[in-house]
Coordinates of all heavy atoms in Angstrom, one line a residue:
C34 N 123.5 93.1 91.9 CA 122.9 92.2 91.0 C 122.6 92.9 89.7 O 121.9 94.0 89.7 CB 121.5 91.8 91.6 SG 120.5 90.7 90.7
N46 N 124.6 74.9 95.9 CA 124.4 74.1 94.8 C 123.0 74.4 94.1 O 122.1 74.8 94.8 CB 124.5 72.6 95.0 CG 123.4 72.0 96.0 OD1 122.3 71.8 95.6 ND2 123.7 71.9 97.3
Q69 N 132.1 77.8 92.3 CA 131.4 78.7 91.5 C 130.2 79.4 92.3 O 129.6 80.2 91.9 CB 130.6 77.9 90.3 CG 129.5 77.0 90.8 CD 128.9 76.3 89.9 OE1 129.4 75.5 89.2 NE2 127.6 76.6 89.6
I141 N 128.3 101.0 85.4 CA 129.3 100.8 84.5 C 128.8 100.4 83.1 O 129.6 100.5 82.2 CB 130.3 99.6 85.1 CG1 129.3 98.4 85.3 CG2 131.1 100.0 86.3 CD1 130.1 97.2 85.9
N143 N 126.3 102.0 81.7 CA 125.6 103.1 81.2 C 124.1 102.8 81.0 O 123.4 103.2 80.0 CB 126.2 103.5 79.8 CG 127.7 104.1 80.0 OD1 128.0 104.9 80.9 ND2 128.5 103.7 79.1
G153 N 111.4 107.6 98.8 CA 110.8 108.4 100.0 C 109.7 107.6 100.8 O 109.3 106.5 100.4
M166 N 98.7 95.8 93.9 CA 99.6 95.5 92.6 C 100.1 94.0 92.6 O 100.3 93.5 91.5 CB 100.8 96.5 92.6 CG 100.4 97.9 92.5 SD 101.9 98.9 92.3 CE 102.4 98.6 90.6
L173 N 105.3 81.6 95.7 CA 106.6 81.0 95.4 C 107.5 81.1 96.7 O 107.8 82.2 97.1 CB 107.2 81.6 94.2 CG 108.7 81.0 93.9 CD1 108.7 79.6 93.5 CD2 109.4 81.9 92.8
G196 N 108.8 103.0 101.5 CA 109.8 103.7 102.4 C 110.1 103.1 103.8 O 110.7 103.7 104.6
L200 N 112.1 93.1 107.9 CA 113.1 92.0 107.8 C 112.5 91.0 106.9 O 111.3 91.1 106.3 CB 113.3 91.5 109.2 CG 114.1 92.5 110.1 CD1 114.2 91.9 111.6 CD2 115.4 92.9 109.7
R201 N 113.3 90.1 106.5 CA 112.9 89.1 105.4 C 111.8 88.1 105.7 O 110.8 87.8 105.1 CB 114.1 88.5 104.8 CG 113.8 87.5 103.6 CD 113.1 88.1 102.5 NE 112.9 87.3 101.4 CZ 111.7 86.6 101.3 NH1 110.8 86.6 102.1 NH2 111.5 85.7 100.2
A203 N 108.9 86.0 108.1 CA 107.8 86.3 108.9 C 108.0 86.3 110.4 O 107.7 87.1 111.1 CB 106.6 85.2 108.6
I239 N 98.8 91.5 105.2 CA 98.6 92.9 105.5 C 97.1 93.2 105.7 O 96.1 92.7 104.9 CB 99.0 93.8 104.2 CG1 100.5 93.5 104.2 CG2 98.7 95.2 104.4 CD1 101.1 94.2 102.8
G262 N 91.4 83.5 113.0 CA 92.6 83.5 112.0 C 91.9 83.8 110.6 O 90.8 84.5 110.5

Side-chain angles (χ1 to χ4, degrees):
C34 179
N46 68 76
Q69 73 180 62
I141 55 179
N143 296 313
M166 295 185 72
L173 175 67
L200 300 174
R201 178 60 179 89
I239 298 173

